[in-house]
Amino acid sequence: MFDATILIDNIASGELISEWGFAAYIEYNGKKYLLDTGGSDKYLQNASKLGINIEDVDVAVLSHAHYDHSSGFESFYKNNSKAKLLVSEYCCNDCYFKFGPIRKYVGITKTLSEHVRTTRVSGFQKIDDGVYIVPHLKNNLEKIGKKAHMYRRIDGKVVPDDFAHEQSLIFETSKGLVVLNSCSHAGLHNIFNDVAHYLPGKNVYMTIGGMHLAASSKKDVVEIANKISGLQIERVITGHCTGKRAYNILHNELGDMVELMHVGMRLKVD
């Protein structure tokens, strides 16, 4: 049984609070997982209101090295005494947003990268039965980074981000794979290619996460929709950096297979 609850998203619900970011709590085959924390400790407040005890989390995973997914992990370590945080081997405090002369640091903190329970993983990983981490190391993702104004500072040079630090958390279910990728910077079509490479013969039933389309043109969003339509997937749960405008375009193009995410949303699959 896969049972996920969205703890942080841009859209609030009832007494639950929102922020720019993403966090999801997952229960699967008797274990508890946390993917990202958003940009503060608001995920903890939502978890408490939902009756979720963060101390019970067995494994934590960081999807990629940006502040709006990682800044709550300091509070996670204070409220959980056992779980390791699995981050990509390429996850470092070196990520920037750069637009003309404007350059803003958007990465993880040094204290997070140096914490004793922050554990770097290399390549494809089987975490447990039916649970995997899939890396995204496709060529030419620097073009995506440059278009999105995302950069990294490597060896003293600021270069377009190739998103080598991004990874997907994947669960097997009776209906197929559930792929969680909080921002999908690599692009869903590239992510699906990676999933097919590491987990051949397994269909993807559902994806959960943002698509980094909030600033994209209608033409670009329609192009993404066309690529999704050929991916043989039943459900696309999206929010956060997708943006409401892009969501409306995706829904118009793809119909009810696309669903809008919100804080407190619960997704269950046998």
Side-chain angles (χ1 to χ4, degrees):
M1 168 73 77
F2 171 89
D3 188 351
T5 302
I6 305 302
L7 295 182
I8 284 295
D9 180 59
N10 300 10
I11 300 176
S13 176
E15 295 182 350
L16 304 175
I17 52 180
S18 65
E19 69 177 353
W20 178 269
F22 177 85
Y25 168 82
I26 303 109
E27 295 187 3
Y28 180 83
N29 288 351
K31 290 192 175 181
K32 299 173 176 64
Y33 300 82
L34 180 69
L35 175 65
D36 295 352
T37 59
S40 70
D41 65 357
K42 288 183 178 180
Y43 78 100
L44 283 174
Q45 299 174 53
N46 288 333
S48 178
K49 291 175 182 177
L50 291 165
I52 295 170
N53 188 353
I54 293 299
E55 171 61 29
D56 293 337
V57 171
D58 298 294
V59 180
V61 177
L62 176 61
S63 63
H64 62 291
H66 288 168
Y67 78 96
D68 51 333
H69 299 266
S70 63
S71 295
F73 275 116
E74 298 299 328
S75 62
F76 172 77
Y77 281 137
K78 293 177 182 177
N79 288 272
N80 179 290
S81 60
K82 62 180 180 178
K84 291 182 178 180
L85 170 59
L86 306 182
V87 306
S88 165
E89 62 179 321
Y90 299 103
C91 182
C92 298
N93 49 326
D94 60 6
C95 292
Y96 292 84
F97 172 84
K98 183 176 179 292
F99 187 80
I102 301 172
R103 187 166 72 191
K104 177 184 177 182
Y105 182 69
V106 295
I108 63 173
T109 64
K110 184 176 180 181
T111 53
L112 177 62
S113 63
E114 294 178 350
H115 196 283
V116 66
R117 280 194 277 151
T118 299
T119 304
R120 298 185 180 279
V121 296
S122 177
F124 174 74
Q125 296 284 327
K126 179 179 179 180
I127 301 176
D128 208 331
D129 289 341
V131 187
Y132 311 92
I133 286 178
V134 168
H136 305 301
L137 304 173
K138 291 287 185 182
N139 294 326
N140 299 318
L141 290 188
E142 296 90 345
K143 295 179 180 179
I144 296 177
K146 186 175 182 179
K147 188 173 184 178
H149 307 292
M150 308 304 297
Y151 289 78
R152 299 183 71 187
R153 189 176 186 87
I154 299 175
D155 297 329
K157 296 181 180 180
V158 177
V159 298
D161 199 337
D162 64 357
F163 303 110
H165 55 94
E166 184 175 71
Q167 54 189 10
S168 293
L169 179 61
I170 297 177
F171 296 86
E172 287 191 70
T173 76
S174 61
K175 293 185 177 180
L177 301 176
V178 176
V179 178
L180 293 99
N181 188 301
S182 304
C183 281
S184 306
H185 289 102
L188 276 186
H189 53 294
N190 288 324
I191 290 170
F192 272 49
N193 286 338
D194 290 336
V195 171
H197 172 73
Y198 291 107
L199 297 167
K202 297 183 183 295
N203 69 294
V204 177
Y205 166 66
M206 176 168 62
T207 67
I208 303 171
M211 296 187 205
H212 213 264
L213 299 174
S216 297
S217 67
K218 180 178 180 179
K219 178 182 177 181
D220 285 346
V221 178
V222 170
E223 182 179 340
I224 293 295
N226 290 336
K227 290 179 179 179
I228 292 173
S229 68
L231 291 178
Q232 295 185 331
I233 180 174
E234 293 187 38
R235 299 180 71 186
V236 177
I237 315 298
T238 193
H240 176 40
C241 56
T242 299
K244 188 65 180 294
R245 173 180 168 274
Y247 165 78
N248 287 335
I249 296 171
L250 291 171
H251 191 269
N252 184 61
E253 295 291 323
L254 299 170
D256 290 341
M257 71 177 290
V258 183
E259 303 171 52
L260 185 62
M261 193 160 55
H262 60 81
V263 179
M265 187 177 195
R266 194 168 179 184
L267 300 155
K268 298 175 70 173
V269 187
D270 292 335

